[in-house]
Amino acid sequence: MTRVVVVGDLMTDTVARAAYPLAKGSDTPAAVTTHGGGSGANVAAWLAVEEVEVAFVGRRGSDIAGRNRDMEMMGYGVDARLVMDAERPTGTCVVMVTHKGDRTMLSDPGANGALLPEDIERCADLFVHGSHMHLSGYSLINEGSRKAAILALDMARKAQMSVSVDGGSFSPLKRMGAEPFLEWTQGARLLIVNAKEAEILTGRDTPDQAAKVLTAWYPQVVIKDGADGALWYTNGRPEPVTVAAEPVDKVVDGTGAGDAFVAGFLPPWLDGKQPADALTAGCRLAARAMRHLGARPTLDVVDNQI
């Protein structure tokens, strides 16, 4: 199976799940828990659960949170290449989950915003022909880590690695603008975005129309559409390949479901399986992520599998 190198963000997620509708200006009972997070780190963790050989390149603080996140990544079996930042704390995200499961996130990138080109160069041994690199869109959106992300893309291309990129998050992507993102990531073999991100990048309000536009920049495009499933498209096909979402009786927490989808999709896609099979695998892992609190598989599940 192809080795995957993930370059991206590492966070600590503080998840507050409200028991009732939010009482603005007052108190609302909630279950508050702390978990490992960060889109790039989440993808790497889920890939490891799928028994993929995976390395993760990122940056953490010298604080206790950073040490814990580092140990978690090793617990999953990820080859974690984390640079320790002596000045910035480990990135933190406050995830507010309503009683209906809707999420709002407040993010402080911390050390992620200082990922440097030198950090990528130190991991040059990972950039080899035959491996695959997945880049978290957050690393491009964040101005502080952008040069490092662009260098990672360049090193992967020079090594003739296959490359996939995700869109990060629609709100910061909108603030940055579509044109720079499309320019920086052109040459990637696969773009994975959700429906809102696809609309921002193309101006098209339906996923199938957006996918057709995006193939002007990327040979293959995957668009996640929540409860409506996901689609895959490449030039020359009359219509996209679509797969329905796997039913989830109760959504406990949608945090990280999109990252789990990426980790489910990539292995069969890299193995040359049919797009429908890869989409189905992505939807399966996304559904699994939504059934528990936190953006990553729980470590006790990983231990049981081992």
Side-chain angles (χ1 to χ4, degrees), residues 194-214 223-225 228 231:
N194 63 31
K196 288 184 178 180
E197 294 158 3
E199 183 177 357
I200 288 166
L201 291 175
T202 66
R204 303 300 195 273
D205 58 3
T206 63
D208 57 341
Q209 292 174 349
K212 292 176 181 179
V213 172
L214 286 168
I223 298 181
K224 303 169 289 181
D225 199 15
D228 290 328
L231 66 81

Side-chain angles (χ1 to χ4, degrees), residues 133-191:
M133 187 190 80
H134 177 75
L135 177 68
S136 168
Y138 282 103
S139 297
L140 281 170
I141 291 170
N142 191 312
E143 186 175 358
S145 57
R146 190 172 298 152
K147 288 183 180 179
I150 291 172
L151 176 63
L153 288 168
D154 185 56
M155 289 174 61
R157 293 187 192 107
K158 288 180 178 178
Q160 298 182 330
M161 298 169 70
S162 56
V163 174
S164 59
V165 181
D166 65 53
S169 181
F170 77 89
S171 181
L173 182 62
K174 184 177 182 179
R175 288 195 298 270
M176 184 182 71
E179 187 174 345
F181 183 89
L182 294 169
E183 178 182 349
W184 294 326
T185 59
Q186 190 168 10
R189 182 179 169 193
L190 172 69
L191 174 72

